[in-house]
Amino acid sequence: MRGSFLSRRTVQRLRQLLICTAGSVKIKLVLCCCIAFTVIALLSRASGFTGWTNRSVALERLSIPRKGYAIVMNTWKRYDLLKQSISHYSSCPGLESIHIVWSEPNPPSDPLKKFLNHIVQSNSGHERQVELKFDINKEDSLNNRFKEIKDLRTDAVFSIDDDVIFSCSSVEFAFNVWRSAPDTMVGFVPRIHWVDQSKGNNDYYIYGGWWSVWWTGTYSMVLSKAAFFHKKYFSLYTNEMSASVREYVTKNRNCEDIAMSFLVANASGAPPIWVKGNIYEIGSTGISSMGGHSERRTQCVNRFVAEFGRMPLIPTTVKAVDSRNIWFW
């Protein structure tokens, strides 16, 4: 009887020991799997940590569309920045053509044109040939960046400043987002407007910058310094939008991007789409860093509301994110 009891206790202890051992093995297996997953994820993302100059990672690129997009780049006497930007973007796989908006009093120099053409041809490769053109303007106006371009070969336009860099994978992702909603603006730099309650009515609006977007999670514009839109809006901006809006932009040297946001929203009846992307600003600070910038932009918003006869901008909280490049989404 006593021997039977001891045997039973021995069996129970062995069973408990086996259960604990099995549990420990399971925990170790889970930990090993987590460590392995982390190492693989870090290795797959390591190339992204080097910045915008890495353009050879095939896994980060979407499939090249048969009909791509044109870049329309605004520039002004910043030739080193122009060279850097053209060198970068000319290697993006979906690019069909580059149009440089030139508003300087003197035409581009032959050495500059020769250098840029060489860079574009070198980056184009054998499978595609990117076209490079200078769109020469006699008048210095911010409206020039939205002049109609008769020989555009694509419907999609990527409007970009010469001092702003996004990775090719981010641009290709934004292009594919735009293809799902080609009547609206798709861009990387969101802004917001809201009603000024202190005025006691709903007819006066305030322009909000990035921190307002960050705080509220809401936006109603994406700036044309980095945005996709349909080429038809060039014609609408130049030929059908109120001339007084363009005159206001020329006189104040500001707010052409807000005017385009008004135009697209008014024509489409849809909000823009903000695409998440890392921005690399390679130039010095611009007019947005000057004192009174937000106040001047607020004046623009209210002036354009009066010109359009209503507030066409539509607030939204939607953000497009490339889930392949993040762990949690």
Side-chain angles (χ1 to χ4, degrees):
M1 191 74 179
R2 181 179 177 84
S4 175
F5 177 73
L6 289 174
S7 297
R8 193 178 302 160
R9 291 188 61 182
T10 301
V11 170
Q12 288 177 348
R13 287 180 179 177
L14 287 173
R15 185 178 297 169
Q16 289 175 354
L17 180 62
L18 288 173
I19 291 174
C20 292
T21 303
S24 177
V25 171
K26 288 180 180 179
I27 292 173
K28 290 179 179 178
L29 285 173
V30 171
L31 289 174
C32 288
C33 289
C34 290
I35 293 172
F37 174 78
T38 302
V39 171
I40 292 172
L42 288 173
L43 289 175
S44 66
R45 290 171 59 86
S47 59
F49 298 151
T50 61
W52 62 267
T53 53
N54 188 350
R55 305 184 292 269
S56 62
V57 184
L59 291 177
E60 290 187 355
R61 291 176 175 172
L62 296 177
S63 58
I64 302 174
R66 284 181 292 178
K67 190 173 184 180
Y69 56 89
I71 280 181
V72 177
M73 183 175 294
N74 198 47
T75 188
W76 176 262
K77 295 186 177 181
R78 301 191 291 190
Y79 308 135
D80 289 340
L81 301 186
L82 180 62
K83 291 175 182 178
Q84 289 183 58
S85 292
I86 297 298
S87 177
H88 169 65
Y89 287 115
S90 59
S91 67
C92 293
L95 181 64
E96 296 282 342
S97 62
I98 300 173
H99 293 257
I100 300 174
V101 180
W102 192 270
S103 302
E104 297 182 19
N106 298 318
S109 66
D110 290 337
L112 177 64
K113 290 192 291 185
K114 183 178 180 180
F115 178 88
L116 294 180
N117 275 297
H118 173 72
I119 290 295
V120 170
Q121 290 175 7
S122 299
N123 288 338
S124 295
H126 300 290
E127 298 180 358
R128 66 189 181 99
Q129 184 60 50
V130 175
E131 182 183 34
L132 175 67
K133 286 191 174 183
F134 284 86
D135 295 331
I136 309 297
N137 298 279
K138 295 180 180 180
E139 179 189 14
D140 175 20
S141 171
L142 291 175
N143 292 311
N144 291 341
R145 71 182 307 162
F146 300 139
K147 277 188 175 180
E148 186 176 9
I149 302 174
K150 297 292 186 180
D151 57 348
L152 270 181
R153 300 185 300 185
T154 64
D155 291 334
V157 172
F158 184 45
S159 175
I160 190 78
D161 285 352
D162 61 1
D163 61 345
V164 177
I165 297 291
F166 290 92
S167 67
C168 287
S169 59
S170 293
V171 175
E172 297 297 316
F173 175 69
F175 172 53
N176 279 273
V177 172
W178 174 84
R179 293 205 307 178
S180 69
D183 286 331
T184 191
M185 289 185 74
V186 175
F188 295 97
V189 187
R191 295 295 184 263
I192 183 63
H193 78 282
W194 66 85
V195 176
D196 185 1
Q197 301 291 347
S198 66
K199 299 293 183 181
N201 58 56
N202 295 328
D203 297 329
Y204 192 83
Y205 301 89
I206 295 178
Y207 172 89
W210 161 246
W211 291 112
S212 298
V213 174
W214 178 83
W215 182 256
T216 63
T218 305
Y219 64 99
S220 57
M221 295 170 269
V222 289
L223 301 187
S224 57
K225 68 184 294 181
F228 277 95
F229 51 81
H230 198 284
K231 68 178 181 181
K232 65 184 178 182
Y233 291 118
F234 281 155
S235 177
L236 291 177
Y237 189 99
T238 303
N239 303 317
E240 302 199 22
M241 189 177 68
S242 173
S244 58
V245 173
R246 295 192 300 273
E247 292 169 1
Y248 184 90
V249 168
T250 298
K251 179 180 179 181
N252 292 275
R253 296 195 60 81
N254 204 336
C255 300
E256 84 286 356
D257 48 2
I258 297 178
M260 178 56 86
S261 290
F262 267 68
L263 175 70
V264 175
N266 189 63
S268 66
I273 300 176
W274 171 22
V275 175
K276 182 180 179 180
N278 293 325
I279 183 173
Y280 300 90
E281 298 193 68
I282 58 177
S284 58
T285 55
I287 61 173
S288 60
S289 62
M290 298 171 59
H293 176 69
S294 294
E295 290 76 9
R296 286 190 290 271
R297 305 279 278 182
T298 292
Q299 292 173 5
C300 292
V301 169
N302 288 283
R303 173 63 181 266
F304 296 162
V305 167
E307 294 287 351
F308 279 79
R310 69 187 186 98
M311 167 51 79
L313 300 178
I314 302 173
T316 181
T317 59
V318 173
K319 179 167 69 173
V321 178
D322 189 348
S323 60
R324 298 168 302 169
N325 296 330
I326 59 174
W327 291 4
F328 304 102
W329 59 286

